[in-house]
Amino acid sequence: MSSQANEPLIRDIVQEVLGRLGRSAPSGAGKAGTPAAAPSPACDRPGPTHAPASRPGRYGVFGDANEACAAAHAAYRQLSEKGVAGRNTVVRIIKEICCAKSKEWGRLELDETKIGRLDHKIEKLEGLRAVPGVEFLQPYGLSGDHGITLEECAPFGVIGAVTPSTHSIPTVACNIISMVAAGNSVVFNAHPGAAKCALAAVRVFNESIHRELGIENLACLIDPPTLDSFQALAKNEHVKLLCVTGGPGVVKAAMASGKRAVCAGPGNPPVLVDGTSCLERAARQVILGAAYDNNVLCIGEKEVFVLDRVFDAFLAALEKNGACRLSGAQVERLTQAAFTFLPGHGGGCAEPVVNRALIGKDVPVLAQAAGINAPAGAPLLFAETEANHPFVQEEQMMPFLPVVRVRSVEEGIEGARIAERGYKHSAMIHSHDVANMTAMAKALETTLFVKNGSCLAGLGNGGEGYPNFSIATTTGEGICNPRTFTRMRRCVMVDKLRIF
Ligand code: NAD
């Protein structure tokens, strides 16, 4: 082997030895122009990793899951040396970059995934401003005859995260904000169909964090992401917690991993319109939510149940507000394009499977599949369907809204409960009847329940509250925030320290 080929190896060994001695590497040992990381007393303690220290200049991008986890673990140690101020700096950096690059990254993500709408991709990145940071972590104090006790929100360490194709950069960014605000580092296994944009974002985040704090790999990403790299991530000894955002497959895989997992799973949010509130407003809000990013939001309105006596008036209000009505024959054509039907188990009913090629596509594309040309600028297609229609029962993520006629509030709530499929994700009601609101909330037990607003109000856009792109429905943590990524630790001072 030439001496040149040996150079990175020697540099790695020098870094490792100096790291253990608590000194930073001489500048010549690192990559030219790369500031050496601040010396960290925590590095004196040998970590549990046997993977070699990562070479500088990776800025979070690793081909190997175990190498990524080792680098994220070293970064976690460095972050703890930077204190709360360091975490605040990272949160500020992520938010600033997402705002500054919203247009560029919105386009980048849309070009890669071909899912959703550019204006909403940009809005989602800019909306990250409102994701809570370190201020969300409040310790709990006790003071009494026996002294003082403090319960603190402590970090886990390295978190393994999986992100969806529907909002790749926004989920990566808001996961970093919540996880780092809580003092953790993170390794991502992004969706393969949305991994290039996630990689670009992670690299820019790390470059900036490195410039300001000297930490290079706080948010790592495995390139390319595969099912095997997910398994390696889940098994890695540094990874103390998983956070997965996606459909049923990844939730199942995370739950089976044996690690503690925060699972932000699938949804199929129903809406009930009982006719006791303004129909015009209900129609506008339903369009707002269901049309958003071509209905790829997991919280987005996916099907509506409307009382018979106001049914026709509600459809007219949808039309008046720009949505385009399909006939029965057009819905049938769209259904054949949007689903394939697998033979049911034991000769039972055929099982519809969503055609991924139509997920998040624009209204004109869907309209073509239905056999019509939609009016220019129509935000949404809709039609009357039966309650058992595949568009009602499956999480279809397309800007087509099935509307079901029901004879009573009870029938509407039961239809909504069945369509929601026990995901306990999100539901909406348009009503001024408190008893109906309560009955629906009790029957569905969803994580988000919005009254008289669009689904977006559930994430602070038109309603009170903060946003996040990971809503931990399956495992019950709710809308993720920095607290979600902490473990509670109690510190007890016996007797003498009270001031009275
Ligand atoms: P998806 O389930 O196809 O993929 C999500 C992620 O899981 C991807 O990174 C994918 O590579 C990974 N994955 C899938 N199966 C896996 C397995 N067996 N092992 C390991 N990793 C696996 O979902 P998608 O199309 O990217 O996103 C849409 C889905 O995500 C919808 O069901 C939507 O409701 C859900 N979602 C939920 C939330 C939430 O906060 N609850 C947020 C966004 C999206």
Side-chain angles (χ1 to χ4, degrees), residues 68-331:
C69 293
H73 185 254
Y76 157 64
R77 290 270 178 86
Q78 286 177 289
L79 180 70
S80 61
E81 293 307 308
K82 302 287 177 190
V84 173
R87 300 186 200 179
N88 270 323
T89 302
V90 175
V91 170
R92 173 181 54 74
I93 287 171
I94 305 296
K95 290 184 179 185
E96 279 177 5
I97 293 176
C98 286
C99 279
K101 289 189 167 283
S102 61
K103 291 187 180 63
E104 179 191 333
W105 282 0
R107 168 54 66 194
L108 189 70
E109 182 158 339
L110 185 58
D111 284 350
E112 182 179 3
T113 63
K114 315 271 187 295
I115 287 174
R117 281 174 45 174
L118 181 60
D119 51 347
H120 295 147
K121 298 248 173 282
I122 293 169
E123 213 171 86
K124 287 194 286 186
L125 285 164
E126 291 173 353
L128 291 168
R129 267 189 299 245
V131 175
V134 178
E135 72 286 351
F136 211 85
L137 303 173
Q138 297 296 330
Y140 175 62
L142 292 161
S143 173
D145 293 343
H146 298 296
I148 296 172
T149 287
L150 197 59
E151 286 183 351
E152 293 247 51
C153 305
F156 276 91
V158 180
I159 299 175
V162 176
T163 50
S165 59
T166 44
H167 346 275
S168 184
I169 301 178
T171 311
V172 162
C174 85
N175 277 181
I176 298 175
I177 292 171
S178 305
M179 292 168 184
V180 172
N184 306 283
S185 61
V186 51
V187 178
F188 289 103
N189 209 45
H191 190 289
K196 288 194 186 79
C197 60
L199 185 154
V202 159
R203 189 167 269 152
V204 171
F205 292 148
N206 281 309
E207 280 169 359
S208 236
I209 295 167
H210 187 231
R211 247 192 322 274
E212 288 206 36
L213 290 176
I215 307 174
E216 196 187 305
N217 298 305
L218 201 53
C220 296
L221 180 136
I222 306 164
D223 176 38
T226 61
L227 292 180
D228 286 345
S229 65
F230 168 77
Q231 289 300 334
L233 178 65
K235 284 196 181 78
N236 187 279
E237 60 189 330
H238 291 303
V239 174
K240 304 298 181 205
L241 178 70
L242 294 172
C243 173
V244 302
T245 305
V250 70
V251 168
K252 200 169 164 201
M255 302 279 240
S257 71
K259 286 259 161 80
R260 193 186 149 198
V262 173
C263 295
N268 192 33
V271 185
L272 177 63
V273 178
D274 72 359
T276 60
S277 65
C278 173
L279 288 181
E280 184 73 20
R281 179 189 159 103
R284 277 201 307 272
Q285 296 298 311
V286 165
I287 292 173
L288 180 67
Y292 198 86
D293 212 13
N294 286 342
N295 209 354
V296 296
L297 292 183
C298 58
I299 59 169
E301 286 83 350
K302 296 290 189 295
E303 61 277 337
V304 191
F305 296 84
V306 184
L307 263 282
D308 191 29
R309 65 187 168 77
V310 293
F311 190 84
D312 293 337
F314 179 72
L315 294 201
L318 286 177
E319 228 166 357
K320 185 178 155 212
N321 284 282
C324 169
R325 189 194 297 230
L326 299 186
S327 68
Q330 288 159 353
V331 174

